[in-house]
Amino acid sequence: MSSFWINFAVEIGFLSLLGVLYYFYQKKKIIHHEENKPSMILNFILQSCLAEKTDNPQPELDNLILELDDFLNNKTSQPPFTLLKNFSQSSTCSAELKATILEGLKELDQ
């Protein structure tokens, strides 16, 4: 009967070790995700802007695309939040792009 308790204690210890390792693995993934969150959101906004772009010249949208691209490629250190807010309030911004930008800015403020 004592071998049963020894095996039981070893199994509990092994499962506890696996649980602790899994906890630290998930914690690392969450921290990594939170660190990359602004870049992922701004990249999604950039992709949405590129989808809205047409062949006609749109200076405000082109400037926004360049600023987002510069930030994502580490050419500038400050994200273009004011430019995003101003563009989302302009008349040249479509309703879908406005919703995407505002939702992204709201997510980044949290």
Side-chain angles (χ1 to χ4, degrees):
M1 193 59 142
S2 68
S3 76
F4 168 77
W5 290 109
I6 292 173
N7 287 340
F8 183 71
V10 168
E11 288 178 11
I12 293 295
F14 180 68
L15 290 175
S16 297
L17 176 66
L18 287 178
V20 168
L21 291 175
Y22 185 71
Y23 167 77
F24 286 118
Y25 170 73
Q26 287 297 329
K27 184 177 177 182
K28 179 183 169 190
K29 278 180 57 176
I30 290 170
I31 289 171
H32 185 270
H33 180 269
E34 288 296 320
E35 289 172 351
N36 292 333
K37 188 176 181 180
S39 296
M40 290 187 315
I41 291 173
L42 290 175
N43 191 24
F44 182 74
I45 291 173
L46 175 62
Q47 295 301 320
S48 299
C49 290
L50 290 172
E52 289 287 324
K53 185 164 173 38
T54 61
D55 291 336
N56 299 331
Q58 298 170 314
E60 288 182 2
L61 182 60
D62 293 339
N63 188 26
L64 178 63
I65 290 171
L66 288 175
E67 289 292 325
L68 284 170
D69 188 52
D70 286 347
F71 175 73
L72 292 172
N73 290 321
N74 296 325
K75 294 179 183 175
T76 59
S77 61
Q78 294 295 327
F81 291 137
T82 57
L83 191 59
L84 283 167
K85 288 177 186 175
N86 291 338
F87 181 73
S88 68
Q89 295 170 354
S90 71
S91 61
T92 59
C93 184
S94 68
E96 295 86 12
L97 185 56
K98 180 179 182 175
T100 302
I101 291 172
L102 292 177
E103 187 65 33
L105 289 174
K106 185 171 72 171
E107 187 69 30
L108 288 172
D109 284 341
Q110 293 178 352

